[in-house]
Amino acid sequence: MKSFLSSLLPSFFDDSPEPQIGKGLAKAYNDSRFGKNHKTFCYAPSTNMLFAQNGNVYACCHNKEIAIGRYPEQTISEIWNSQIAIDFRSRMEHYDLSAGCEICKSDLKPDAFQEVRARHFDTLQRNKNYPVMMEFLLTNICNLECVMCMGEYSSLIRKNREKLPTLEYHYDQAFIFQLDEFIPYLKETRFSGSGEAFSIDVNYEIWEKIIKLNPKCVIMVQTNGTILTDRVKSVLSRGNFQIGVSLDSLKKNVYESIRLNANFDKVMSNIRYFSDYCKQKKIKFNLSLCVMRQNWEEMPAYIEFCNELDCVATFHKVWHPRKYALDNLPVIELVKIYDYLSKFDFEGKTPTQKLNREHYHYFISVIKEWRDKSREVNPYDEEVSVLGYEGLIPYLSRKLYDYLIAQNHDEATTVELRTKYITKISAFVEMFDTLRDKERVLRAACLREPSLILYSLENFSIEENYKQFKSYKESEFVD
């Protein structure tokens, strides 16, 4: 049965209510998409289920504000048919991005529509009764301790760097059994974003089920490229895999300083194997670079390398730790970075080359935005540096208020959320013994990205936040 909102949408651009993003932008965005007659901003809630480590189930990896359900409290079927999922689909039909879709909203620019993540779901054939895609982020088991990563995504970081207990595991054999009903309808599955896919045993169980029940289903794996065992080669030979490798430098010393525990030479050898595998299968191969202060100069060489391999180059923004990020650099540094990178251009003879060129120039446009918004002296940093203990909480409260109101919350909701978060922050700050330590932690929190603060508060207990901040230094949040 169609929702009330969807009944309005056949005449969406003629006489229906104004879409949340505006009719003109909605139409321009739709015109840029694959296919025609789109009646929703994003098909993710109608096509996809993402199973996160904490048991929450989301429509996609970019929106962690709306969980459409939770396992094992609900079965997979109950989650897919939940009222929250139905309401979320209605939001997308009304082009309403106000509930957690900020990443797509921020990329919704006429000259960069190709970067909008929602488009990734446009090509999926939809099934009224079943999801056609599933993403499995079931655990954080990983063999690396990358400098820009955190314990949520790496078991070794959680153990060695954060000194926190192992994450609770939520997916039992009943979950694996329930997948039997859904796998025959899947067109694509993804194993990326948490842990190292080839080091997680449960992934192999799911892959074997897919190979048996739906061998044509695409199995997309994003790997750090360090593991290429006989077990890996066996499933690759039997399944319809699509491989992406995270490669953060073409220089051995830089790569190994970022991807701790990895061996550059071994990874490069494995990349050649994965590249050949994808060529034989006639499927896309992808290399991704987390752009940081350590490696931004390599972006042009990275494009050339990917063009030689005929693989897609993807660039990711890094926000944490702040000492590795680009966006918070002084304007003089951003000017230097932009001036250097904007001098390069690349061939666009093949589809892959054209795509890589687009990805490169989009990221350069992002750096230009950072440059234009940057100032040589950050008044927030100056203000925080002179505040004492009594002034830091009000400052942080104001900062969180400004951030929350910018997420399109109403005034009452913003105040309610701010109060909740400040109460949690005050609770773990009070666990520190000395006034100096309390000031240090508050000052670090004030200089941290609001989205990261809120993520920690939502996903970790007061005790866990205390342990995390106890191990941090202020320098991790500043230039």
Side-chain angles (χ1 to χ4, degrees):
M1 180 180 296
K2 288 188 176 181
S3 68
F4 171 72
L5 282 174
S6 26
S7 70
L8 294 173
L9 287 170
S11 57
F12 191 83
F13 295 110
D14 298 322
D15 54 10
S16 67
E18 180 78 9
Q20 196 261 357
I21 63 172
K23 285 187 178 181
L25 188 58
K27 185 178 187 307
Y29 166 66
N30 280 346
D31 289 344
S32 77
R33 298 165 73 181
F34 179 84
K36 298 180 180 179
N37 301 319
H38 295 289
K39 302 300 181 183
T40 184
F41 177 83
C42 176
Y43 294 106
S46 306
T47 59
N48 187 45
M49 299 180 81
L50 183 152
F51 301 96
Q53 308 96 310
N54 60 4
N56 284 347
V57 182
Y58 302 100
C60 82
C61 64
H62 303 294
N63 185 337
K64 296 298 180 67
E65 186 170 320
I66 293 182
I68 62 174
R70 182 173 174 83
Y71 189 87
E73 287 84 347
Q74 299 162 279
T75 66
I76 299 176
S77 181
E78 288 170 344
I79 294 168
W80 179 247
N81 295 292
S82 68
Q83 187 60 47
I84 296 176
I86 293 169
D87 292 344
F88 194 15
R89 291 162 195 153
S90 292
R91 278 183 180 272
M92 293 298 99
E93 290 169 357
H94 201 52
Y95 290 58
D96 181 353
L97 312 185
S98 62
C101 297
E102 295 303 318
I103 290 179
C104 281
K105 189 175 181 180
S106 67
D107 283 333
L108 197 61
K109 304 166 188 174
D111 58 346
F113 282 141
Q114 71 274 9
E115 300 296 332
V116 177
R117 277 73 164 183
R119 289 165 52 109
H120 297 174
F121 301 92
D122 284 353
T123 57
L124 292 172
Q125 296 179 357
R126 291 167 286 287
N127 184 307
K128 183 172 65 174
N129 299 314
Y130 288 94
V132 294
M133 186 168 112
M134 285 183 170
E135 300 182 70
F136 298 92
L137 288 72
L138 307 184
T139 176
N140 67 339
I141 294 173
C142 187
N143 58 334
L144 299 188
E145 301 175 67
C146 303
V147 297
M148 66 291 188
C149 195
M150 57 184 68
E152 181 194 1
Y153 309 115
S154 167
S155 54
L156 288 185
I157 290 176
R158 188 171 174 87
K159 175 184 176 182
N160 298 330
R161 189 188 305 169
E162 298 176 352
K163 309 297 182 185
L164 293 173
T166 302
L167 285 175
E168 181 181 358
Y169 184 70
H170 294 268
Y171 299 95
D172 51 19
Q173 283 300 309
F175 173 79
I176 304 299
F177 177 77
Q178 289 176 38
L179 289 175
D180 286 359
E181 177 187 351
F182 291 84
I183 287 175
Y185 300 95
L186 295 177
K187 303 298 181 183
E188 182 175 340
T189 54
R190 296 185 178 184
F191 297 78
S192 62
S194 181
E196 164 48 40
F198 288 131
S199 67
I200 299 172
D201 285 338
V202 68
N203 285 352
Y204 290 87
E205 289 189 65
I206 298 172
W207 294 336
E208 292 295 350
K209 277 183 173 286
I210 294 170
I211 291 169
K212 178 180 178 181
L213 299 175
N214 187 1
K216 292 184 179 179
C217 176
V218 174
I219 304 171
M220 197 286 285
V221 172
Q222 186 69 26
T223 173
N224 60 35
T226 61
I227 299 175
L228 186 57
T229 62
D230 289 340
R231 188 184 191 189
V232 171
K233 293 178 180 179
S234 174
V235 292
L236 289 179
S237 68
R238 293 179 289 113
N240 186 20
F241 282 82
Q242 180 177 307
I243 304 295
V245 179
S246 301
L247 178 69
D248 293 315
S249 178
L250 300 174
K251 301 175 182 177
K252 179 179 175 68
N253 62 325
V254 177
Y255 173 84
E256 293 182 356
S257 71
I258 295 172
R259 297 263 164 182
L260 303 183
N261 305 333
N263 181 289
F264 176 78
D265 297 325
K266 181 178 180 181
V267 169
M268 294 302 287
S269 174
N270 292 348
I271 283 174
R272 297 290 179 181
Y273 181 94
F274 290 130
S275 174
D276 290 343
Y277 168 86
C278 291
K279 286 178 181 177
Q280 292 172 7
K281 294 270 187 173
K282 296 182 179 179
I283 55 177
K284 180 178 69 175
F285 179 51
N286 176 282
L287 289 178
S288 60
L289 174 76
C290 291
V291 182
M292 298 179 282
R293 300 184 189 185
Q294 299 95 311
N295 61 14
W296 62 264
E297 289 182 279
E298 296 187 54
M299 288 180 64
Y302 203 85
I303 292 289
E304 296 290 359
F305 179 73
C306 289
N307 284 346
E308 288 176 11
L309 280 183
D310 192 32
C311 73
V312 175
T314 303
F315 299 110
H316 297 299
K317 308 177 191 80
V318 170
W319 307 109
H320 170 81
R322 300 300 287 150
K323 63 182 179 181
Y324 300 138
L326 296 186
D327 70 298
N328 60 335
L329 283 170
V331 66
I332 191 171
E333 292 294 324
L334 289 168
V335 167
K336 180 181 74 173
I337 293 172
Y338 176 77
D339 287 349
Y340 175 78
L341 294 177
S342 61
K343 294 176 182 177
F344 291 88
D345 201 4
F346 307 93
E347 288 188 341
K349 295 179 180 178
T350 70
T352 299
Q353 289 174 351
K354 290 179 182 177
L355 189 58
N356 289 346
R357 189 182 184 190
E358 288 178 2
H359 287 172
Y360 182 87
H361 287 295
Y362 166 75
F363 205 93
I364 302 309
S365 73
V366 171
I367 295 173
K368 183 177 184 292
E369 288 183 9
W370 293 339
R371 181 204 67 182
D372 293 343
K373 292 177 181 178
S374 177
R375 289 173 290 185
E376 291 201 43
V377 178
N378 188 331
Y380 296 104
D381 290 1
E382 284 192 336
E383 184 179 346
V384 169
S385 69
V386 299
L387 289 175
Y389 178 71
E390 297 300 328
L392 289 167
I393 284 287
Y395 172 90
L396 186 57
S397 177
R398 187 172 75 250
K399 181 174 181 176
L400 292 182
Y401 176 89
D402 291 343
Y403 176 79
L404 290 166
I405 205 73
Q407 309 309 305
N408 293 317
H409 293 300
D410 58 47
E411 177 72 17
T413 302
T414 296
V415 172
E416 180 183 350
L417 289 172
R418 179 186 62 179
T419 302
K420 180 180 75 169
Y421 293 134
I422 289 296
T423 300
K424 285 187 175 183
I425 290 171
S426 299
F428 74 73
V429 168
E430 285 303 314
M431 297 173 70
F432 289 85
D433 296 327
T434 68
L435 180 61
R436 180 181 178 183
D437 281 342
K438 292 176 182 179
E439 285 188 354
R440 177 181 67 82
V441 171
L442 276 175
R443 192 165 286 113
C446 286
L447 295 171
R448 201 177 190 192
E449 285 290 318
S451 59
L452 293 174
I453 299 171
L454 301 191
Y455 180 87
S456 293
L457 295 174
E458 286 289 355
N459 291 276
F460 299 107
S461 67
I462 290 173
E463 177 70 22
E464 288 175 325
N465 272 283
Y466 164 73
K467 289 179 179 178
Q468 281 188 331
F469 273 86
K470 189 176 181 180
S471 66
Y472 290 159
K473 299 176 181 178
E474 286 183 43
S475 61
E476 293 191 54
F477 305 106
V478 298
D479 296 339

